[in-house]
Amino acid sequence: MDIEQKQTELIEYFVKQAENLRGDSLANLIIEATSHSSLFAFSEILSVPNVVELQGTEYSIFLDVLRLFAHGTWSDYKSNAGCLPTLVPDQVRKLKQLSVLTLAETNKVLPYDQLMQELDVANVRELEDFLINECMYAGIVRGKLDQLRRYFEVQFAAGRDLRPGQLSSMLQTLTTWLNTSDNLLISIQEKIKWADTMSELDKKHRKEIEDKVEDVKKNLKADFELRGNEEIAYAEHGGVMDYEEDRSRPKRRRPPLS
């Protein structure tokens, strides 16, 4: 079973459970969901009316925990630890996994120093073990570890729940991208049209040159044929004139013998 299908089934399960629970039972369900090793999306659970109604009650702290796992990071938890319950080890691991996904959203090359600081990891060996065993084996990220350059190159990262206001930003980004793509397409079409026009002009010019060359060839051929005929006619005519002139020339008489 791939991670997307498993996510879908888990979300459906927890949403269905949350719709029928309240109070302590719902709080325990939130702990279970945020501790589950294969669940990384929580927006659907957050939207369940029973969960929303935790706001302002004695259980609102568990609603804050669910929001933290939907949109926050390990650094966010450390900054607000005094206002949140202590996390169990499975929740700590999950929140650190989610922190890696958040970092991968904006940068595909993650320096080891940054990761160690964000995840509270003491050394490179511990960091690489976490990335391999808890992230790549879990199927939420794929990438390459570069010990020499001390960074993690992200090739794939699962998406997290959209933060409040993030959808509008994404729509604006997509709109800008579409407009840029349309302008680029128009520019490409204009260049194709220009290239076609130049190609037609080139063909026309080449045809004109070929026609001129053909005309020159025809004229030269006709000229050669005309000159050849004139030379033949002149030769024949010149022979007759020599003969006629020879006949019309008066004969010289010999002087009388003395």
Side-chain angles (χ1 to χ4, degrees):
M1 183 184 300
D2 58 33
I3 186 171
E4 289 83 6
Q5 182 179 351
K6 194 169 186 178
Q7 285 282 296
T8 301
E9 294 181 358
L10 286 170
I11 290 170
E12 290 176 353
Y13 167 78
F14 282 108
V15 166
K16 186 176 181 179
Q17 292 295 313
E19 290 173 343
N20 300 308
L21 298 176
R22 284 180 172 79
D24 286 339
S25 298
L26 186 54
N28 290 331
L29 181 71
I30 291 174
I31 294 174
E32 181 184 354
T34 53
S35 301
H36 199 288
S37 61
S38 299
L39 182 62
F40 297 92
F42 306 94
S43 290
E44 287 86 349
I45 304 173
L46 271 171
S47 65
V48 174
N50 288 359
V51 175
V52 176
E53 291 172 1
L54 292 176
Q55 185 69 43
T57 71
E58 59 181 310
Y59 300 102
S60 62
I61 192 172
F62 295 98
L63 178 59
D64 294 334
V65 169
L66 193 56
R67 288 170 176 162
L68 173 68
F69 278 78
H71 309 126
T73 64
W74 177 246
S75 294
D76 294 330
Y77 173 74
K78 289 190 298 179
S79 299
N80 298 278
C83 305
L84 296 169
T86 302
L87 301 181
V88 299
D90 287 341
Q91 287 177 307
V92 173
R93 180 181 65 252
K94 170 64 63 60
L95 193 53
K96 289 185 177 182
Q97 290 172 314
L98 294 169
S99 299
V100 173
L101 296 183
T102 296
L103 292 173
E105 287 179 354
T106 56
N107 198 339
K108 298 308 178 184
V109 177
L110 304 177
Y112 277 7
D113 292 339
Q114 180 186 13
L115 287 168
M116 287 190 291
Q117 181 179 356
E118 291 291 329
L119 303 177
D120 272 344
V121 175
N123 54 65
V124 171
R125 176 62 181 274
E126 185 179 351
L127 172 64
E128 291 183 337
D129 285 346
F130 179 81
L131 292 173
I132 293 171
N133 298 325
E134 308 299 344
C135 295
M136 286 192 274
Y137 283 173
I140 60 173
V141 296
R142 290 195 300 270
K144 295 180 180 180
L145 301 173
D146 193 323
Q147 293 181 336
L148 181 62
R149 296 181 176 85
R150 290 173 60 87
Y151 64 67
F152 176 50
E153 182 180 355
V154 180
Q155 298 172 336
F156 161 82
R160 292 198 63 181
D161 294 303
L162 293 178
R163 293 179 290 277
Q166 189 176 11
L167 181 58
S168 299
S169 177
M170 290 181 64
L171 289 175
Q172 181 61 43
T173 301
L174 288 174
T175 300
T176 302
W177 179 81
L178 286 173
N179 291 335
T180 301
S181 298
D182 289 341
N183 293 334
L184 180 60
L185 180 60
I186 292 173
S187 177
I188 292 174
Q189 290 174 338
E190 289 177 349
K191 289 182 178 180
I192 291 174
K193 184 178 179 180
W194 177 83
D196 290 341
T197 301
M198 294 304 296
S199 177
E200 289 300 322
L201 290 175
D202 182 65
K203 289 179 181 179
K204 183 179 179 180
H205 181 62
R206 186 178 302 175
K207 181 67 167 55
E208 291 175 352
I209 293 176
E210 290 175 351
D211 291 343
K212 289 181 179 179
V213 170
E214 191 64 27
D215 289 341
V216 171
K217 288 181 178 179
K218 289 179 180 179
N219 292 335
L220 288 175
K221 182 178 180 181
D223 187 54
F224 287 150
E225 290 177 352
L226 179 61
R227 288 186 180 183
N229 292 334
E230 288 178 350
E231 289 177 357
I232 293 173
Y234 178 78
E236 292 177 350
H237 179 70
V240 172
M241 290 299 295
D242 289 346
Y243 175 75
E244 292 295 335
E245 288 177 358
D246 184 63
R247 292 181 60 184
S248 62
R249 182 181 299 135
K251 295 183 179 180
R252 295 174 62 185
R253 292 182 179 183
R254 296 178 179 178
L257 296 173
S258 55

